[in-house]
Amino acid sequence: MKKRLTYYSLIFACIFWTCSNEVVERYTPTPVALEIPALFEDRILNPILPVDNPQTAEGIALGKKLFFDPILSGDNTQACADCHAPQNAFSDADRFSEGIDGSIGRRNSMPLFNLAWNYEEKFFWDGRVFSLEHQAFQPVTDPTEMKNTWANVILKLQQHPQYPGLFQQAFGNVTIDSTLVTKAIAQFERTLISSNSKFDEFLLGRSDLSPAEQRGFNVFMDENKGDCFHCHGSDNNPLWTDNQFHNNGLDATFTDLGLGKFTGDPSDNGKFKTPSLRNLAFTAPYMHDGRFATLEEVIHHYSEGLKPSPTIDPLMKKVAQGGVRLTEQDKSDLKAFLLSLSDYDFINNPDFNDQ
Amino acid sequence: MTRAVPILLLFVVLFSCQKDNDDNASNVSISFNFMHHWDGTAVTNQDFNRIKFINENGEQLSIERLRYLISDVTLKNQNGEVLVIDDYNLVDVTNSENLTFSPEALIPTGVYSNISFTFGFKNEKNSDGAYPDLNSASWNVPQMLGGGYHYMQFDGKFLNSTNTEQGFNYHAIRAVDDPGDNPVFPQDTFIIVNLGPVTITDTPVFNIEMNIAEWFKNPNTWDLNMYNQMLMPNSTAQIMMFENGQHAFNLKTIEQ
C-alpha cells in the first residue's frame, strides 16, 4: 500500500514536471552505455565517465566525424587521425609527428585506447592535462600541430552544410562552440576500447599461449628477470599500465623534463607516463621521444641499457651493470609475450575507422 | 587511483543477539589515522626523494614510494567475543591518500580488551585478483609467487658500499619458496598489530604511528647492501621483514 502510494506520487511528480516544461520540447540524444569488456568488469575498477558529458549515439558519431575531419586544422589539411591513425592503434608511425606547417613536435604521438580507464585522468606523456575533454582543446591550437584558432574552427563548423545539424542532434538546440567540439571528440575517444588480444583470449580461457609467449609472460612477472609488472600491469590489471609517471632509465641527463616541467618539482624530472603494452605491434617507434624503432631495442634497454640519474625509478635493477642482463632466450620470449598483447580486432574495428 | 570504497561486510559473532536486549549500547563509527615517523621525526611525502634518513646499519637512504595494506580491524570484548570488520585500506603515503581509514561498519560502544588490525592480508583473504581496486592500483603479487597482494611497497635509494645511489625495493608479501606452479609457504608473514585495550564511548579516532626506521632495526639489523632488490622471491628477507615489522606500529592516541 505504502509502496503504491510512492509510485503514484512519483508518476504525479513526473506529469507535473513535464507540464511545467511544456513550452520547450526538450530534445534528448540517445544514451549509449560504454561497453565494458568482461575481463575489465571482472578485474579492475569501472571507467571514469563525466556526468556533464554522457555518452550518446549522436555525440559519438559527431566526435568520430570531427576526429577524422581536417576541418579542425588551420589549413584544412590535418585531422586528429593523421597523428592518431586506426591502423597504428591511434598513434602514428613517425618518431615525431609533423604539424600542418611542417614543424616537428618533440614527442612521439600516443596511441589512444582504454582512455576512460585512466582513473586519474592525467593525459599526455607528462600528465599536464586533466580529462579527455580538456585534452582535445590542445592539438587544435598547438602551433606544431593543427595550428588553428577556435574562432576559426567554430566559424567553419557553423558554415558547414552538415555540422550544425549534427551538433543539434548530439546536444540539442545549442550554438556550436569549442566545448561541444571537445565533448563530442571525448565521447568518441571513450569508445576506443581494446580488449581482444590473444592474451585476453588466453585469460578468458578461449585460447592457448605458445610456449614462447608463456615463458615470456614469466620473464615479465619474475622479479629476478623482467620485473615489468610493478609498472606495466599484469593478468590482474589488463590495462597493461599503471598510468603513473616514472623515469625508466633512458637518459643520464634530460633534454625533456617530462613531468618535472609540469610540476616544477626537480624530483619529477625525466618522468613520463607508463604507456600501455597493448598493441605494441602497431605503435612503433617507442618511448616518449620514439627513440627505439623496435621491441628488440626496448628490451635491450631494460636488459643492459639503463642509465643512472637522480630520478631513475628505484624499481630499475642493477643500474650500474646497465640492467638485469636477460639471456637471448628470455629476450625473445619476452618479445613474443609482448606481441601477444596486440589486438587486431581493435585496429580493424569498422566503428573506429573513417566512414 | 580513485579512492574506492571497499565492499563492507560485518561479521558479528554473538553481538547481534546481545544488542537487541541492551538499550544502552549504541553503535558508532570508528576511524584510523596513519602517521609516519623516523625514530621520532615526522615523515610525510614532503620528505620523499632525498637521501635524508640513516638506518640502524648506518646506511643513508631516501624514500620514493611507500604504500601498505591494512585489513581486518578486530575488536575483542571482555567476554572474549570477537568482532571483525571485513574491510581493508591501502595507505598511500606517496600520494597522501587513504591516510585515514573509516570503515563503514558501526561498532557497539563499550569496553574492549583489545583492538587490532592486520598488516597485509590474512592468507584466506589474500586471494589472487579478488579486489578490483587493488588490481587497478597494481598491487598484485605474481602467481608464480603464490598470487594475492603486496603487504607493503617501500621503494627508495641508498648509498651503497661504493657510495653510489642504488635502488631498493622493500616489498613485503607472503613469504614463499619454490616460485613457479607449486610455490610453498614457509611461514605466515602478515602481521597482527595489537593496539591494546580500549573503551569506546563515542566515534573514536585511532591515531596510529608507523616508525619507518623499525623496518631496518629490530631484531634484524637490515643490511641494504645485502638485501635491496628482488626480495619478493626471497623468503629469508620476507621473514626478516615480518620480524622487524612487529614493532613498527603503535597506537599514539585515541580521540573521542
Side-chain angles (χ1 to χ4, degrees):
Chain A
M1 179 61 208
K2 208 169 175 192
K3 229 182 202 164
R4 193 172 283 173
L5 245 175
T6 333
Y7 283 151
Y8 280 134
S9 40
L10 252 176
I11 291 166
F12 198 73
C14 288
I15 296 169
F16 205 71
W17 188 79
T18 338
C19 293
S20 64
N21 281 276
E22 219 169 27
V23 242
V24 230
E25 173 85 352
R26 232 187 105 92
Y27 169 80
T28 33
T30 324
V32 177
L34 205 65
E35 269 176 53
I36 303 180
L39 207 58
F40 293 11
E41 180 79 61
D42 190 41
R43 306 199 181 189
I44 54 176
L45 294 175
N46 283 330
I48 306 283
L49 295 168
V51 277
D52 61 352
N53 188 23
Q55 300 284 112
T56 65
E58 296 81 359
I60 294 165
L62 172 61
K64 178 178 172 185
K65 187 172 167 62
L66 288 165
F67 190 90
F68 286 97
D69 195 337
I71 195 170
L72 295 184
S73 67
D75 63 356
N76 296 307
T77 59
Q78 189 173 57
C80 306
D82 284 17
C83 303
H84 299 286
Q87 69 270 21
N88 297 114
F90 292 89
S91 174
D92 67 15
D94 296 334
R95 179 166 181 193
F96 302 115
S97 328
E98 216 178 288
I100 62 164
D101 64 357
S103 58
I104 303 286
R106 48 187 201 131
R107 290 189 185 155
N108 189 227
S109 174
M110 302 176 83
L112 308 179
F113 50 81
N114 302 341
L115 297 171
W117 281 266
N118 180 351
Y119 301 110
E120 290 179 18
E121 299 184 72
K122 292 177 183 164
F123 292 97
F124 284 130
W125 281 107
D126 52 13
R128 68 183 182 278
V129 170
F130 178 83
S131 94
L132 270 182
E133 279 76 2
H134 286 132
Q135 193 287 328
F137 275 102
Q138 309 273 321
V140 173
T141 53
D142 188 323
T144 67
E145 296 186 352
M146 303 166 105
K147 203 179 179 178
N148 207 345
T149 64
W150 277 106
N152 189 37
V153 172
I154 302 308
L155 199 69
K156 281 198 279 178
L157 292 173
Q158 277 165 348
Q159 290 168 353
H160 192 272
Q162 287 154 7
Y163 275 114
L166 295 173
F167 273 88
Q168 289 207 356
Q169 284 169 30
F171 298 107
N173 200 4
V174 286
T175 8
I176 299 176
D177 66 10
S178 55
T179 307
L180 295 179
V181 173
T182 59
K183 280 187 169 178
I185 291 176
Q187 284 185 40
F188 170 63
E189 288 175 313
R190 289 193 176 92
T191 67
L192 302 175
I193 297 172
S194 169
S195 67
N196 260 331
S197 67
K198 183 176 182 191
F199 200 85
D200 294 310
E201 292 289 293
F202 162 70
L203 290 177
L204 292 164
R206 296 188 200 138
S207 155
D208 285 326
L209 297 181
S210 73
E213 289 163 345
Q214 181 63 59
R215 289 193 306 267
F217 177 55
N218 289 341
V219 173
F220 184 91
M221 297 299 287
D222 188 339
E223 227 203 6
N224 290 321
K225 291 184 173 179
D227 187 12
C228 317
F229 69 93
H230 277 111
C231 301
H232 279 292
S234 69
D235 48 337
N236 281 315
N237 183 350
L239 299 175
W240 300 101
T241 172
D242 60 0
N243 277 314
Q244 301 289 317
F245 300 84
H246 304 273
N247 169 356
N248 65 342
L250 293 173
D251 295 301
T253 54
F254 313 115
T255 45
D256 184 343
L257 295 182
L259 180 66
K261 172 102 192 292
F262 166 58
T263 63
D265 180 349
S267 60
D268 288 334
N269 286 352
K271 293 186 182 174
F272 293 88
K273 185 158 71 184
T274 313
S276 172
L277 299 181
R278 278 182 183 275
N279 299 318
L280 292 171
F282 324 119
T283 60
Y286 306 107
M287 305 297 168
H288 70 272
D289 55 3
R291 69 177 64 191
F292 298 135
T294 63
L295 285 178
E296 279 81 1
E297 290 173 56
V298 171
I299 292 170
H300 174 86
H301 161 71
Y302 283 112
S303 175
E304 46 251 26
L306 298 179
K307 309 247 181 15
S309 67
T311 60
I312 189 173
D313 199 284
L315 284 163
M316 294 291 119
K317 300 190 170 44
K318 305 208 172 157
V319 182
Q321 293 91 278
V324 289
R325 295 182 180 266
L326 299 172
T327 64
E328 288 310 308
Q329 178 75 55
D330 282 345
K331 287 182 181 178
S332 72
D333 291 343
L334 182 56
K335 181 184 169 192
F337 158 70
L338 291 174
L339 288 174
S340 78
L341 300 171
S342 291
D343 178 354
Y344 290 81
D345 288 354
F346 176 67
I347 62 163
N348 294 316
N349 188 334
D351 289 347
F352 304 155
N353 279 275
D354 198 10
Q355 308 320 326
Chain B
M1 253 296 301
T2 44
R3 238 160 294 175
V5 184
I7 304 160
L8 263 184
L9 280 173
L10 180 63
F11 290 116
V12 182
V13 184
L14 291 173
F15 268 95
S16 27
C17 315
Q18 223 181 12
K19 229 171 21 193
D20 294 338
N21 310 336
D22 189 351
D23 290 334
N24 300 329
S26 58
N27 292 327
V28 296
S29 58
I30 62 172
S31 60
F32 299 83
N33 289 330
F34 292 92
M35 298 178 287
H36 308 86
H37 65 95
W38 188 279
D39 282 337
T41 308
V43 175
T44 69
N45 61 359
Q46 300 298 309
D47 302 295
F48 282 22
N49 303 313
R50 267 171 298 149
I51 305 260
K52 62 179 284 190
F53 304 101
I54 299 179
N55 69 9
E56 187 73 3
N57 201 35
E59 288 139 351
Q60 299 180 57
L61 61 97
S62 67
I63 306 172
E64 295 199 9
R65 215 178 279 122
L66 178 58
R67 326 188 265 176
Y68 57 91
L69 186 86
I70 69 128
S71 65
D72 278 2
V73 170
T74 300
L75 293 118
K76 195 185 236 180
N77 76 7
Q78 289 182 310
N79 306 328
E81 293 158 347
V82 175
L83 190 142
V84 181
I85 302 177
D86 185 14
D87 197 353
Y88 58 84
N89 182 53
L90 181 58
V91 179
D92 183 352
V93 189
T94 323
N95 299 302
S96 258
E97 277 173 17
N98 297 348
L99 297 183
T100 297
F101 174 37
S102 309
E104 278 176 26
L106 299 178
I107 300 301
T109 54
V111 180
Y112 293 90
S113 60
N114 187 39
I115 175 166
S116 63
F117 62 81
T118 304
F119 168 82
F121 271 136
K122 295 198 184 83
N123 302 337
E124 65 271 21
K125 301 235 166 120
N126 198 16
S127 20
D128 193 58
Y131 310 100
D133 57 332
L134 299 181
N135 299 342
S136 293
S138 291
W139 193 241
N140 307 80
V141 169
Q143 276 176 35
M144 62 176 75
L145 298 178
Y149 295 90
H150 284 73
Y151 301 165
M152 179 166 74
Q153 177 180 22
F154 175 11
D155 294 323
K157 299 203 184 93
F158 71 105
L159 290 180
N160 67 15
S161 47
T162 63
N163 213 32
T164 314
E165 282 189 21
Q166 187 181 334
F168 68 84
N169 312 120
Y170 196 113
H171 292 200
I173 63 167
R174 182 181 188 187
V176 56
D177 286 316
D178 301 337
D181 290 338
N182 298 300
V184 295
F185 305 101
Q187 72 165 69
D188 289 341
T189 44
F190 60 84
I191 298 172
I192 304 288
V193 178
N194 289 308
L195 304 174
V198 55
T199 303
I200 294 183
T201 54
D202 190 20
T203 57
V205 179
F206 295 88
N207 292 314
I208 311 287
E209 289 182 318
M210 182 211 264
N211 181 2
I212 304 165
E214 275 291 334
W215 293 102
F216 297 105
K217 200 188 270 189
N218 178 22
N220 307 294
T221 303
W222 197 274
D223 182 350
L224 275 172
N225 280 290
M226 196 147 126
Y227 295 102
N228 44 67
Q229 294 185 309
M230 297 171 275
L231 303 180
M232 290 172 70
N234 183 338
S235 62
T236 309
Q238 290 304 325
I239 291 167
M240 282 169 35
M241 291 179 195
F242 165 77
E243 290 167 350
N244 285 10
Q246 300 295 324
H247 313 283
F249 294 92
N250 74 285
L251 174 61
K252 193 183 178 202
T253 52
I254 309 173
E255 300 160 31
Q256 57 182 347

